Amino acid sequence: MTAKIPTGKIDPSRIRMTEVPHLSNEIIEGFRALGDASSAVSDALDYIGVTGAIAASTLVPVISGATLVGYALTLRNMKRNGNIHQAALDKNAQTAEAEAHNLATKDDVLVIQGVPGISNMGGVGALIAKRNGEVGAIIDGGFRDVADMRNLNFPVWSTERTPLTGKWRIEAVEINGPVVICGIRVYPGDLVVADDTGVCFVPRDRAAEVLEYAQKKTAAEQAKSRKIADGVSFTELSTVKA
């Protein structure tokens, strides 16, 4: 893989790594094969003692029915000080969403610790993201251009939607360092699983363990569902663990 070259949108010292670590294709495809996997993955995280699930009522999906599995490419933003109007006149942007997209590779998910009430990502960014192989974005904060995301079929889960641009209101702090999303710490390369029910962050070094439990959980629930469809008694159902 060709090394990504930063564009200068952010001081290079604020980029902790230029390439997000990935796991084997077998693991990521295993998670994808689960389908709407957030519930099974959440149960698996409980089983191993890790807090990593966030409800879809908090991180709301922009595309109903969308599912996502990928690797966290992280961006941390903060609210910028100064005169917004003057910054706009001077075209003095301090955002680095474009730099994050520039560093993305196939199966990455942009995970933004963002600023509330302000857009941390827009439609042009989504277009670049999709071109570079990103599979979606998770944003603790606002984003805009909802119609663009839907037309591109680029799934986003966020806490807010807003027309207010972040160009003059946001300063990028760091790319590919740890971020906190709705109280959960996420590291670059952690696995992200999202669907209509919610979003789960799986620590990269526990992904194989979580997948194994989630597969067993899903298989058990499918077996129980078949028994329900077959009309078995409640007594018999109670013996099927799921």
Side-chain angles (χ1 to χ4, degrees):
M1 182 183 296
T2 303
K4 294 287 184 133
I5 301 173
T7 65
K9 296 288 186 182
I10 187 174
D11 189 301
S13 67
R14 295 189 178 189
I15 302 175
R16 299 306 179 201
M17 58 179 73
T18 57
E19 188 175 324
V20 168
H22 285 194
L23 297 165
S24 69
N25 284 337
E26 182 180 5
I27 290 178
I28 195 168
E29 293 304 330
F31 276 97
R32 286 177 176 155
L34 295 172
D36 292 351
S38 69
S39 295
V41 171
S42 177
D43 288 353
L45 291 171
D46 284 347
Y47 180 75
I48 67 170
V50 171
T51 300
I54 302 167
S57 54
T58 300
L59 285 171
V60 181
V62 71
I63 300 176
S64 180
T67 61
L68 174 154
V69 179
Y71 302 101
L73 186 162
T74 63
L75 169 63
R76 181 161 59 94
N77 290 333
M78 64 180 288
K79 190 171 183 179
R80 178 177 170 180
N81 295 319
N83 187 307
I84 293 170
H85 179 62
Q86 190 61 52
L89 289 174
D90 295 340
K91 299 189 183 303
N92 179 14
Q94 295 182 15
T95 56
E97 177 205 338
E99 185 70 270
H101 295 314
N102 173 60
L103 297 175
T105 57
K106 182 179 179 292
D107 293 328
D108 284 347
V109 179
L110 184 57
V111 177
I112 304 176
Q113 180 181 333
V115 179
I118 299 170
S119 174
N120 295 263
M121 181 176 178
V124 172
L127 187 62
I128 298 169
K130 189 155 188 177
R131 186 188 69 182
N132 284 359
E134 290 175 57
V135 292
I138 311 294
I139 306 170
D140 187 349
F143 83 103
R144 68 182 192 171
D145 302 332
V146 169
D148 288 346
M149 307 302 185
R150 289 175 176 159
N151 290 336
L152 285 168
N153 194 29
F154 186 81
V156 176
W157 283 254
S158 75
T159 55
E160 300 179 36
R161 303 173 190 184
T162 174
L164 283 175
T165 182
K167 284 183 179 179
W168 331 120
R169 297 175 172 88
I170 283 175
E171 178 183 349
V173 177
E174 187 176 67
I175 293 175
N176 282 336
V179 294
V180 177
I181 306 297
C182 301
I184 294 173
R185 186 169 290 272
V186 181
Y187 293 89
D190 283 353
L191 205 65
V192 186
V193 177
D195 55 30
D196 277 337
T197 304
V199 177
C200 293
F201 296 106
V202 180
R204 184 171 172 270
D205 61 352
R206 307 296 294 275
E209 184 180 2
V210 168
L211 175 60
E212 182 180 7
Y213 182 92
Q215 287 172 328
K216 290 177 180 176
K217 176 74 174 180
T218 299
E221 288 193 346
Q222 289 173 345
K224 196 166 191 175
S225 295
R226 286 193 295 270
K227 287 183 177 293
I228 292 170
D230 290 341
V232 303
S233 68
F234 180 76
T235 302
E236 184 178 348
L237 281 175
S238 65
T239 66
V240 181
K241 295 182 179 181

